[in-house]
Amino acid sequence: MKLGIVGLPNVGKSTLFNSLTKAGAEAANYPFCTIDPNVGVVPVPDERIEKLGELYHTKKVTPAVIEFVDIAGLVKGASKGEGLGNQFLSHIREVDAVVHVVRYFEDGNVVHVDGSVDPARDIETINLELIFSDLEVLERRIAKVGKTARMDKEAGKELSLLNRIKDFLEAGKSARELEIEDEDEKKLLSGYNLITAKPVIYAANVGEEDLRDDGANNPHVAKLKARAGEEGAQVFLISAKIEEELSELPAEERDEFLSDLGLKRPGLDTLVEASYSTLGLMSFLTAGEDECRAWTIKKGTKAPEAAGKIHTDFERGFIKAEVVNYADLLREGSIAAAREKGILRIEGRDYEVQDGDVILFRFNV
């Protein structure tokens, strides 16, 4: 899973990236300090594989991972070359979802590129730049497809779709909000790699007080949640400053620090949950003495395709899957005990893998 982090300069993008990845991306109090995209890979917090590792006395525990791409702050006119320009938008065309960081905190020591903190204005600025960038992609495709549309039925159908999307974007709406029922059109839309077609997660970078009460007393946060609800987007509140402090603490002190703040978990956990929910993802597990590992798949994935996540030979030569729920395995203490109790199941090609399944695949090639 790859997430692209976008936002205006000085909204806390790179600070958040640093705290999530501990990659040491530059974060300074002036616009455009991030020139090249920063990329970091973060393990997905999952206590299930840790406990399986203890059960199996495994040599290695391997969590699922998320890749974060932090691009330079965008400003009004970025799609036309303002600031550092449109060059950075290409870096997020390949991500699975966009994390849009919006500044909600007031701090006179951290300059705002537009002179004041106004979340609604900032969101519109970024969204319009993403729309303008997508319009350029569409216009190039329209020019190419338009040459053959009169003589080619399929090209004509695509041109009709392109113009519908173009009209939608020109109305100031994101491509993800366009309702498309035709499966062929969905495939075409996916192939354009439009940024505004990607799912979005709004990260409201708030101060400590708003974080404590989940923004209950902040009208700006309420408006963001309402907007996200209309878009079908996820919202989570985070304090990049607090996440940065958390990332610098030893593991044994983090829980105490969170407790003192009245928080139950760090922002990374919340972001992972929002990301998995937005993208319809879940994890199945494999366990043994050599390795316990979490594998990320789409909800609804069938057993052979899940096996292919481990190795293509597993999918090609799939025979069956031996499946037990994580909680059941932990309770019984071993695969042998689970088998004896009759809770270890043998599943075939049509089985839809469930979150938390511990699976041993049988295959032959």
Side-chain angles (χ1 to χ4, degrees), residues 101-207:
V101 181
V102 187
R103 178 174 170 175
Y104 282 76
F105 67 90
E106 295 280 357
D107 187 338
N109 295 318
V110 180
V111 298
H112 189 290
V113 69
D114 287 328
S116 63
V117 175
D118 185 339
R121 177 202 61 207
D122 295 350
I123 289 172
E124 285 305 315
T125 296
I126 295 297
N127 284 351
L128 284 174
E129 293 310 314
L130 299 182
I131 286 171
F132 291 148
S133 181
D134 281 350
L135 280 169
E136 289 185 11
V137 172
L138 288 175
E139 286 165 359
R140 288 196 297 269
R141 185 65 185 171
I142 287 170
K144 183 176 181 180
V145 174
K147 296 176 182 178
T148 58
R150 290 185 179 181
M151 306 295 293
D152 186 320
K153 183 178 179 181
E154 291 302 314
K157 182 179 178 180
E158 181 181 359
L159 183 61
S160 175
L161 172 65
L162 287 164
N163 283 319
R164 277 167 52 208
I165 301 171
K166 182 173 179 285
D167 291 343
F168 200 76
L169 293 180
E170 287 178 339
K173 298 179 180 179
S174 297
R176 61 180 168 274
E177 299 175 68
L178 179 63
E179 294 183 9
I180 296 179
E181 300 296 332
D182 185 279
E183 290 300 321
D184 290 338
E185 289 188 341
K186 286 182 180 178
K187 289 180 181 178
L188 285 170
L189 175 58
S190 176
Y192 303 144
N193 236 1
L194 301 179
I195 301 172
T196 65
K198 298 179 185 300
V200 66
I201 301 165
Y202 289 106
N205 188 9
V206 298

Side-chain angles (χ1 to χ4, degrees), residues 13-87:
K13 290 186 310 83
S14 293
T15 301
L16 177 60
F17 175 85
N18 282 346
S19 61
L20 294 177
T21 65
K22 299 181 183 176
E26 184 179 3
N29 184 23
Y30 56 91
F32 314 125
C33 68
T34 309
I35 297 177
D36 295 320
N38 296 304
V39 179
V41 177
V42 178
V44 174
D46 191 340
E47 67 173 6
R48 296 175 302 184
I49 54 167
E50 298 293 339
K51 290 184 176 180
L52 283 177
E54 293 170 7
L55 179 65
Y56 278 84
H57 305 290
T58 190
K59 298 174 184 175
K60 184 179 181 184
V61 172
T62 306
V65 297
I66 297 177
E67 183 175 321
F68 288 98
V69 181
D70 170 35
I71 70 166
L74 301 173
V75 294
K76 188 179 295 183
S79 62
K80 301 299 181 184
E82 291 298 321
L84 289 176
N86 196 15
Q87 56 185 306

Side-chain angles (χ1 to χ4, degrees), residues 228-269:
E230 294 172 2
E231 295 181 14
Q234 295 270 347
V235 175
F236 77 102
L237 271 60
I238 195 166
S239 168
K241 183 178 179 181
I242 289 174
E243 291 300 316
E244 186 175 41
E245 291 176 19
L246 272 172
S247 70
E248 295 169 355
L249 290 175
E252 60 272 13
E253 295 180 21
R254 288 176 201 158
D255 289 344
E256 183 179 348
F257 183 70
L258 286 168
S259 179
D260 289 344
L261 291 170
L263 303 176
K264 294 181 179 179
R265 55 183 180 170
L268 173 59
D269 291 15

Side-chain angles (χ1 to χ4, degrees), residues 55 324-344:
L55 179 65
V324 62
N325 177 267
Y326 154 79
D328 291 338
L329 175 58
L330 212 61
R331 184 184 65 249
E332 298 304 328
S334 70
I335 287 289
R339 183 180 288 111
E340 187 175 324
K341 286 285 185 67
I343 55 177
L344 179 73

